[in-house]
Amino acid sequence: MTVNYKFPEGFWWGSATSATQIEGAAFEDGKGWNIWDYWYSKEPDRFFEGVGPETTSDFYHTYKEDIQRMKDIGHNTFRFSISWSRLIPGGKGDVNEEAVTFYNHVIDELIAQGIEPFVNLFHFDMPLEMQHIGGWESRKVVDAYTEFAKECFAQFGDRVSKWFTFNEPIVPVEGGYLYDFHYPNIVDFKRAAQVAYNTIIAHAKAVEVFRTFSVKDGQIGIILNLTPSYPRSDNPADLRASRIADLFFNRSFLDPSVKGEFPEELVDILSEHGQLPERQEGDLALIKQHTADILGVNYYQPRRVKAKEHLPNPYGPFMMDWFFDIYEMPGRKMNPYRGWEIYEKGVYDIMVNLKENYDNIPSFISENGMGVQNEERFIENGQIQDDYRIDFIREHLKWLHKAIQEGCNAKGYHLWSFMDNWSWMNAYKNRYGFFSVDIETKERTAKKSAEWIKEVSENNGF
């Protein structure tokens, strides 16, 4: 294989996932309930084909074999999350020793196989009891999360040096408090703003605690889904629409976590519409002093916007989309299964933005991937021929390579995901893995992309 695209030495090749989406064992070994266990018990019909989080991909029981498979396909890094409700059932109080044992085994097995563990602390999985007292609307929950973070650093910080406070923190804001696709299914911008604000406080507090531990080569950061906002045209009205979309969806978390401050224009907009969250004294100094060392970037699709066609309904609730409409660009390349545009250059644009406006913070692509339905259509000789996934990864990597050539500080690429996993309300509708998972038998089978990525990792390029 001739290597035309060579990546820097020590580049991170791997994949990412989360506790609720792969572990299963939802009610085993002392794990408490999280909001997904609860919501599924109440409204199973809202989940694709009625599949809930109870067993998912059963990583809890098959981690050893799965980590061997990661090694086999060239992973040198792997990101997973620790389930708060497994480690500290109920969200606060005693630590569940069986959970400590499980995560110790996973970490030790990864290290034994030469795969560096990247650990994320929160991936949409609020313990149910914490949601009952207000979830991220409550400062009590922020304090409980800080204790949970401290416990994780104490238990695992001797072997784990890469830590992340949150994955895609804007998603629980959008899903749980604006657009009704996560529990608690509230539609209220002011409460959403409080959730976002308190999440940033929780991030800063976890960073503050982390820095009191002596974690060898320790770095702590956050993982954000950055979705570049592209205007329909250079018309000032379209440009304003894209700038405001960027403020709401990207800079709302990016600026405080990397620069330590909120964008002024965003604060002005929220203030003008009476939507500012409640703050406490000392908050802004806390955020300023405890910024991220490293940034994970999840990139799936661009956001194309245009100026509003119609004024917002004066009787409707305040929403981000008071300021812009989604623009469906003619001729865009689509993933028809997920309804998402495929725009590989987005990855380059994000990296250049980080370089130019965010001190070129060390970063990596922490998720990128392509969900496809009914992949068994593509089986030949017992293997899913997912050439579409190989093309998807390759084209994104070309743009990432270009960004690195131009001095962007990008350290790695993680696919979402190692194996097909449970995707919240979508359950197993769209499959993302290098390995397919039979949800009845839990059997794993390598797809063609698994062989391809192994070669890429071994050559550190393609």
Side-chain angles (χ1 to χ4, degrees):
M1 170 162 164
T2 323
V3 178
N4 298 321
Y5 297 89
K6 189 83 174 167
F7 284 81
E9 205 170 322
F11 197 73
W12 303 329
W13 298 104
S15 59
T17 188
S18 87
T20 301
Q21 295 181 267
I22 60 162
E23 284 178 7
F27 309 111
E28 287 179 42
D29 294 346
K31 179 183 162 292
W33 282 53
N34 67 32
I35 55 175
W36 296 95
D37 305 318
Y38 175 75
W39 190 24
Y40 178 73
S41 77
K42 292 283 176 232
E43 296 190 85
D45 294 348
R46 288 192 68 165
F47 295 80
F48 184 75
E49 292 180 345
V51 175
E54 190 172 346
T55 60
T56 63
S57 302
D58 203 36
F59 182 73
Y60 192 81
H61 296 112
T62 60
Y63 67 88
K64 207 164 176 162
E65 299 85 342
D66 285 330
I67 291 168
Q68 179 62 54
R69 291 181 184 102
M70 291 173 200
K71 174 75 179 162
D72 292 344
I73 66 166
H75 276 35
N76 58 27
T77 44
F78 175 63
R79 169 169 69 99
F80 61 99
S81 74
I82 289 176
S83 161
W84 183 359
S85 54
R86 189 182 293 287
L87 191 74
I88 304 177
K92 57 193 240 193
D94 295 337
V95 171
N96 173 8
E97 289 306 326
E98 289 179 276
V100 174
T101 302
F102 168 66
Y103 290 116
N104 274 330
H105 284 158
V106 169
I107 290 164
D108 292 343
E109 189 62 32
L110 285 164
I111 292 167
Q113 296 285 11
I115 299 169
E116 185 182 353
F118 286 26
V119 174
N120 174 39
L121 296 174
F122 187 85
H123 197 124
F124 311 166
D125 54 352
M126 181 67 73
L128 185 60
E129 295 83 350
M130 295 288 100
Q131 188 63 52
H132 284 335
I133 61 166
W136 294 117
E137 288 181 80
S138 160
R139 294 292 278 236
K140 285 184 184 154
V141 171
V142 171
D143 294 340
Y145 167 82
T146 310
E147 287 302 311
F148 159 64
K150 192 175 185 175
E151 192 59 50
C152 291
F153 305 145
Q155 296 282 359
F156 314 116
D158 57 331
R159 287 150 295 152
V160 176
S161 64
K162 300 284 188 312
W163 291 88
F164 301 91
T165 54
F166 287 88
N167 174 80
E168 299 191 349
I170 199 164
V171 171
V173 177
E174 292 181 67
Y177 293 84
L178 291 173
Y179 301 123
D180 186 32
F181 60 87
H182 280 198
Y183 191 79
N185 315 103
I186 288 160
V187 177
D188 185 328
F189 189 94
K190 189 148 191 187
R191 292 173 70 180
Q194 195 67 55
V195 165
Y197 180 80
N198 286 354
T199 302
I200 290 160
I201 297 295
H203 161 75
K205 288 196 165 188
V207 171
E208 181 179 37
V209 168
F210 180 77
R211 300 216 166 116
T212 67
F213 282 82
S214 56
V215 175
K216 186 177 177 295
D217 304 325
Q219 286 184 303
I220 188 162
I222 191 165
I223 290 162
L224 302 179
N225 47 318
L226 298 180
T227 307
S229 299
Y230 296 104
R232 166 180 59 182
S233 74
D234 286 339
N235 183 291
D238 285 342
L239 292 172
R240 179 175 184 268
S242 85
R243 192 179 71 245
I244 293 180
D246 188 48
L247 279 174
F248 277 118
F249 291 103
N250 297 321
R251 294 185 57 197
S252 53
F253 280 97
L254 183 59
D255 284 38
S257 41
V258 176
K259 294 181 172 178
E261 56 200 29
F262 291 95
E264 222 171 289
E265 189 179 4
L266 181 63
V267 175
D268 290 346
I269 290 170
L270 296 188
S271 172
E272 182 192 337
H273 293 277
Q275 303 290 334
L276 279 176
E278 286 172 24
R279 298 186 306 219
Q280 289 183 12
E281 207 177 328
D283 283 356
L284 296 183
L286 176 87
I287 293 166
K288 188 75 188 162
Q289 285 157 9
H290 301 101
T291 52
D293 302 320
I294 183 170
L295 181 68
V297 174
N298 294 356
Y299 174 67
Y300 290 95
Q301 57 172 339
R303 177 178 278 104
R304 297 192 187 276
V305 297
K306 60 184 180 183
K308 291 293 292 178
E309 302 281 338
H310 304 285
L311 286 173
N313 172 5
Y315 304 106
F318 178 85
M319 281 284 180
M320 282 109 129
D321 30 30
W322 276 26
F323 301 94
F324 56 83
D325 282 341
I326 294 301
Y327 169 58
E328 295 198 358
M329 185 179 78
R332 59 198 181 138
K333 177 159 68 168
M334 292 294 289
N335 171 0
Y337 312 101
R338 196 63 184 80
W340 284 353
E341 181 183 348
I342 297 172
Y343 184 66
E344 300 90 343
K345 181 176 178 279
V347 95
Y348 169 83
D349 293 337
I350 291 169
M351 289 299 163
V352 169
N353 179 38
L354 294 177
K355 179 181 150 199
E356 291 176 352
N357 301 308
Y358 295 88
D359 283 343
N360 210 7
I361 181 171
S363 67
F364 69 111
I365 296 300
S366 42
E367 286 179 30
N368 174 233
M370 184 178 187
V372 172
Q373 218 171 329
N374 305 329
E375 284 197 308
E376 47 287 355
R377 288 171 295 166
F378 305 112
I379 293 179
E380 280 174 33
N381 306 323
Q383 185 188 54
I384 292 170
Q385 303 296 303
D386 58 340
D387 293 282
Y388 43 85
R389 183 167 290 109
I390 294 170
D391 291 342
F392 180 95
I393 299 169
R394 185 197 291 115
E395 296 311 307
H396 281 85
L397 282 172
K398 284 180 184 173
W399 281 106
L400 186 61
H401 184 269
K402 179 175 163 66
I404 293 168
Q405 297 295 104
E406 292 177 16
C408 296
N409 201 358
K411 308 279 187 195
Y413 177 90
H414 283 185
L415 186 80
W416 185 270
S417 183
F418 166 69
M419 59 183 163
D420 294 341
N421 59 24
W422 185 81
S423 261
W424 318 111
M425 284 169 71
N426 269 329
Y428 283 92
K429 180 180 174 201
N430 294 303
R431 304 300 187 98
Y432 285 87
F434 287 127
F435 283 77
S436 67
V437 174
D438 180 317
I439 61 172
E440 300 303 319
T441 65
K442 310 298 179 194
E443 189 188 351
R444 281 73 160 131
T445 313
K447 302 176 192 176
K448 185 177 178 180
S449 57
E451 294 172 4
W452 182 80
I453 201 70
K454 174 182 198 237
E455 206 174 331
V456 171
S457 173
E458 283 169 359
N459 291 301
N460 200 30
F462 55 93

